Amino acid sequence: YGGSLDNRQRFAMEVLSRVKETVDPFPVGYRFLADEWLPDGLQLKESIQFAKSLAQAGIAYISVMGGTYESFSLPEIVEKYKQEGYMLNLAAEIRAEVNVPIIAAGRLDTGAFADQAISEGKTDLIGLARVLWADPQWPKKVYDGRHADIIHCNPDCGDACMQMVMKGHPAFCVRWPPEKMKAWKAKFV
């Protein structure tokens, strides 16, 4: 399974084939690492070819992300992580090369930014993880135009939620209001 790109993508393609067989007719998507952001790691050029293979195999969508546990601690990636839409360019590059819906991720934390990303054709859908962790009501608040009421993920918090998960503990968000934090503590502490 190692060596050439064909060999390195073989395992994923075999798994995809079996999953599609098993769950047919349900659509099957793929969470896709487009760039490891490491000098000797997976780069976008190779990932584009892999995305094309996924599209040819009939994938329903590709959810694009960048970075690994090893790269997230690099100073330049720490700074990149603080920027809104820091993975959007990866999604846009993949979207330009395949004809399947693309989901962008990476701090797309305002409705206006998400809408712009879609309207500019950089992505088809928006993936929300930490955005929803910080504020599960984000979609409703955006829909209702209550942008000032949104609790935003703070990239300067030291990544508390991920640190808790990495230590095997239930995650929390340092931005949660006191009543939610109190309920979390009552349940887990």
Side-chain angles (χ1 to χ4, degrees):
Y1 289 102
S4 71
L5 179 60
D6 284 341
N7 284 347
R8 286 183 283 133
Q9 71 182 5
R10 181 175 296 148
F11 180 75
M13 298 303 290
E14 289 174 359
V15 170
L16 172 63
S17 176
R18 292 297 304 272
V19 169
K20 285 180 56 129
E21 266 177 39
T22 302
V23 302
D24 186 52
F26 292 102
V28 176
Y30 195 94
R31 180 70 163 166
F32 186 78
L33 178 59
D35 196 322
E36 291 181 326
W37 293 331
L38 292 169
D40 58 348
L42 179 69
Q43 305 288 315
L44 186 57
K45 181 180 176 185
E46 289 181 310
S47 296
I48 288 171
Q49 297 308 310
F50 182 34
K52 289 178 180 180
S53 296
L54 290 169
Q56 288 173 352
I59 200 74
Y61 65 86
I62 300 173
S63 177
V64 179
M65 62 167 294
T68 67
Y69 294 119
E70 291 82 13
S71 64
F72 284 141
S73 62
L74 298 173
E76 63 272 15
I77 304 305
V78 169
E79 287 307 308
K80 179 187 287 219
Y81 168 76
K82 295 176 182 179
Q83 300 168 10
E84 187 171 29
Y86 73 103
M87 293 184 198
L88 184 58
N89 67 316
L90 299 174
E93 293 283 341
I94 299 298
R95 188 175 188 273
E97 298 291 336
V98 298
N99 193 23
V100 298
I102 298 297
I103 300 174
R107 201 166 298 289
L108 300 162
D109 60 351
T110 67
F113 191 88
D115 187 52
Q116 181 180 355
I118 292 170
S119 66
E120 290 178 353
K122 294 179 179 177
T123 189
D124 299 292
L125 300 158
I126 301 299
L128 303 172
R130 290 180 204 203
V131 169
L132 291 179
W133 185 246
D135 191 342
Q137 295 299 312
W138 185 93
K140 176 130 179 66
K141 290 176 182 177
V142 168
Y143 181 79
D144 292 344
R146 296 184 298 128
H147 308 288
D149 296 340
I150 294 173
I151 301 167
H152 292 281
C153 175
N154 179 0
D156 292 321
C157 76
D159 214 10
C161 58
M162 183 59 78
Q163 295 301 321
M164 295 299 287
V165 170
M166 296 299 292
K167 293 177 182 176
H169 301 296
F172 65 88
C173 179
V174 298
R175 299 292 311 246
W176 285 347
E179 64 275 4
K180 186 169 182 174
M181 186 62 81
K182 184 176 180 182
W184 180 90
K185 285 180 180 178
K187 186 173 182 179
F188 295 110
V189 178

